[in-house]
Amino acid sequence: MGGGNKEIKYLTAPKIVKRQKKYCRFKKNGIKYIDYKETEFLLKFVNEQGKLLPRRLSGNSLKYQRKMAEAVKRARQLALMPYVTDLLK
């Protein structure tokens, strides 16, 4: 009865990768004014289609998300940034 060489397999705990906590880069770096003419910087907050990234993805605080959205919209009005495009990045 019963084999003598039974391997005992233990389930390993799934590896939990801790994501880095999101933070508002404007608060951390002390940036108080977002310049609409710096399109390279503003491109960090839009996706490939040119849409604004939501706060849950960018990590911005509400105050700076609004300022950033206003700066992107101004840049679009002055044709510094496209409204919609493919493969912006």
Side-chain angles (χ1 to χ4, degrees), residues 18-55:
K18 285 190 174 183
R19 291 185 181 177
Q20 188 177 12
K21 188 173 182 180
K22 292 179 186 169
Y23 59 92
C24 180
R25 66 182 76 191
F26 298 106
K27 281 185 179 179
K28 185 175 182 180
N29 297 326
I31 299 172
K32 294 185 178 180
Y33 177 73
I34 303 171
D35 192 6
Y36 62 89
K37 292 174 271 183
E38 295 182 20
T39 56
E40 293 296 320
F41 180 71
L42 294 176
L43 285 176
K44 296 178 184 175
F45 300 102
V46 295
N47 65 8
E48 293 175 348
Q49 298 171 334
K51 293 181 177 181
L52 290 170
L53 289 177
R55 286 179 55 209

Side-chain angles (χ1 to χ4, degrees), residues 58-76:
S58 66
N60 292 337
S61 65
L62 179 61
K63 177 181 174 182
Y64 287 103
Q65 178 74 13
R66 287 180 179 159
K67 287 184 177 184
M68 189 270 307
E70 185 178 326
V72 169
K73 289 175 184 176
R74 281 185 184 166
R76 286 176 179 165

